[in-house]
Amino acid sequence: MVVVPILVVGGVGLFFGIGLGIASRKLTVHVDPRIDQVLGLLPGANCGACGYPGCSAFAKAVVEGQAEPSGCVPGGAKAAHDIADLLGIEAGQAEPLMAVVHCKGGNAEAKERAEYEGIADCQAAVLAGNAGKMCPDGCLGLGTCVRVCPFDALSINTNGVAVVDPEKCTGCGKCVSVCPRNLIELIPRLHKIFLACNNHDRGAKVKKYCTVGCTACTLCVKATPSGAVTMENNIPHLDYSGNETFVPAAHKCPQHCFVDLAKARPKVNIDTKCDGCGKCVEVCPVDAISGEQGQRHVVNKDKCIGCGICLDVCPVHAISLWGGLGYSPDDKTRRQRR
Amino acid sequence: MDPIPLVQISIAAILINNFVLARFLGLCPFFGVSKRLSSAIGMGMAVVFVMSVASMFTWAIDAFVLQRFGVQYLQTIVFILVIASLVQLVEMTIQKFSPVLYEALGIYLPLITTNCAILGVAKLNTGAGYSFVESLVNGVTSGIGFTLALVLMSGIRERLELANVPKPLRGLPIAFVTAGLMSIAFLGFAGLDFFRTSGG
């Protein structure tokens, strides 16, 4: 009989189908449809930079008003704007960040005191006798940060030091927490200069084991009249909140600890409005400006480092910055604001 | 009820005929969810839960519907139907009444709806002619056996991530090798079947 199996399977199917139908009516949980819409606007990397476990949790928090739309770092201003539009709220401001590694002492510059042959992981190496480098704060180059980066923005260069690709970095900060030596920091993307050293020793001791280590000479502090560079525990601390460009500080460092990500700095030009007051000569950190009192001054383009300090002091606005390839439009507006 | 067969079923399901390492059922979640201990435990709990519920319901369907109409050859198709809708129902119920449990099991429940291990336990129950209680015990302990294998595997894989594995073997290949070795180790439990010899 063919009817019996048809009836049995059909009957069981009908029974469970009706059961599920009733259950779905009775047991519906109302989920805010906006959560799915917000989720669609997020990048979906599930990086966790927002502090929530994944994009869906963040979307829920935004819809419930517990998180700012700008909390999504990889999504950036666009995602924040779109979400704010959708929900009819303010986007909030989040300055785009990028990660930088505070060390550039690789195989060529920093000496080893032992050869580390253990597990290829920075945290393991620090636990096992603080790894092989003589410098107690240097990058170990074992790539723990590289592996954790969801955007493939970190790599170990041929010199054995971790470097960030600013183009790929979204500023999510995952690498910051895994570095056992706390070498990675998020800085505002507008700034191109950072200190590539985190060594707290000073003077000759540092020179013994690294040719690009900070000796705590404080020349960078003296070269920054705005006071944005301060010494903290024998290492300069750069305050990125102001308008300081840190160009003179980076230029003055005798150990070349600073890294300038800009491909080229602009040069100063003094036009015919110059009345030869000489104020720019006084403030120029590299003595690139010369000229007789009362005459139009000239800039030595080879010496000029493009820091722009002279722009602020010129009473007749005769000075402008020219060139500077490799700047993004953001940087230009920042310079013009000065 | 005589507890000896139940203990025998339990030991058989957890160790001797471990679902993953001896019967080779449910290998997909075994490799997919065994990367982290926490997710392995979550998945294991979900499997225990679904296996025990599925054992009960499939036994009832088998005894009261299939056997009555003499259509036991329809077992597979009907069991799939029953298990799939059952898991769906359970998921809805949990989501409604226990959001905490739903968060814990949520993503794993749909994953195992049509898993062969769940269907396997139902088929084994009817194949061995177990009673209702025996079916339930077999379902629960099979789930526990699955969890045991999953937890052991995840522990090993967490350590393996730090090990210096040759490049071609990194990731899934070394996990397969590990699973094979674990399976051989579990073969040793075959000798544990002492109830059968003493009980006659």
Side-chain angles (χ1 to χ4, degrees), chain B residues 44-65:
Chain B
M45 289 301 121
V47 168
V48 171
F49 186 67
V50 174
M51 270 191 178
S52 35
V53 178
S55 297
M56 289 192 287
F57 273 76
T58 51
W59 183 88
I61 292 282
D62 186 62
F64 299 127
V65 181

Side-chain angles (χ1 to χ4, degrees), chain A residues 270-277 296-297 314-320:
Chain A
I270 301 176
D271 62 27
T272 48
K273 290 205 288 286
C274 176
D275 58 4
C277 68
R296 179 186 167 190
H297 283 33
C314 184
V316 292
H317 302 295
I319 309 180
S320 55

